[in-house]
Amino acid sequence: MLDQKEIEALEPKSIAKSAKAGDQALAAEPPSVDSILVNIYSPDVDPTSTSFAAQPQFHGAPKTMVEMVAATLSDEMARDERITVFGEDVADASRDENLKHVKGKGGVFKATSGLQRKYATIASSTRR
């Protein structure tokens, strides 16, 4: 995508743009209290219409929210090698060479457990 020189050239522009947006947000008038209900629902789709009347079609064993988060992360990481997970204790090991020896933590809820191990070859091959 971008080499290091292009990234370094882009950074000051990004910082300036972000600072300008922050300044504009701070200078803007706060929204009116009655605007709290604006855009809660789509102006184009009626959520009470028959378009939403279909019954859910369940398949497979029930899963917890954490299992579904882990499955979604895995699906997306398989789809797009640019996806990286950041956070405290989300890695299986701090160094790829230790993956075969360390069980890993996978975050406080274990939603990322095994993802580094599963996608380490992708991550290692794309590092510069």
Side-chain angles (χ1 to χ4, degrees):
M1 301 261 179
L2 298 176
D3 63 26
Q4 189 62 35
K5 189 174 181 179
E6 291 170 313
I7 291 171
E8 289 170 5
L10 186 63
E11 190 174 9
K13 294 175 189 173
S14 298
I15 291 170
K17 190 173 183 179
S18 179
K20 182 178 178 185
D23 291 342
Q24 288 174 331
L26 291 171
E29 288 290 321
S32 64
V33 173
D34 61 336
S35 72
I36 195 167
L37 300 176
V38 175
N39 295 320
I40 291 178
Y41 300 106
S42 167
D44 305 320
V45 179
D46 179 3
T48 62
S49 74
T50 57
S51 300
F52 295 95
Q55 293 298 312
Q57 302 295 315
F58 298 108
H59 63 281
K63 293 185 178 179
T64 66
M65 178 65 80
V66 172
E67 289 172 318
M68 294 306 297
V69 167
T72 301
L73 284 170
S74 184
D75 287 350
E76 290 302 304
M77 290 176 82
R79 184 186 65 78
D80 186 345
E81 67 182 28
R82 297 173 299 168
I83 293 175
T84 303
V85 177
F86 289 92
E88 193 166 334
D89 298 327
V90 298
D92 293 313
S94 58
R95 295 186 180 92
D96 288 347
E97 64 269 15
N98 295 331
L99 284 173
K100 59 184 173 251
H101 307 292
V102 178
K103 180 180 176 189
K105 191 164 183 180
V108 69
F109 295 108
K110 310 223 180 298
T112 59
S113 182
L115 291 178
Q116 181 188 15
R117 187 171 282 105
K118 187 173 183 179
Y119 297 103
T121 55
I122 294 171
S124 296
S125 66
T126 58
R127 288 190 188 135
R128 292 186 181 141

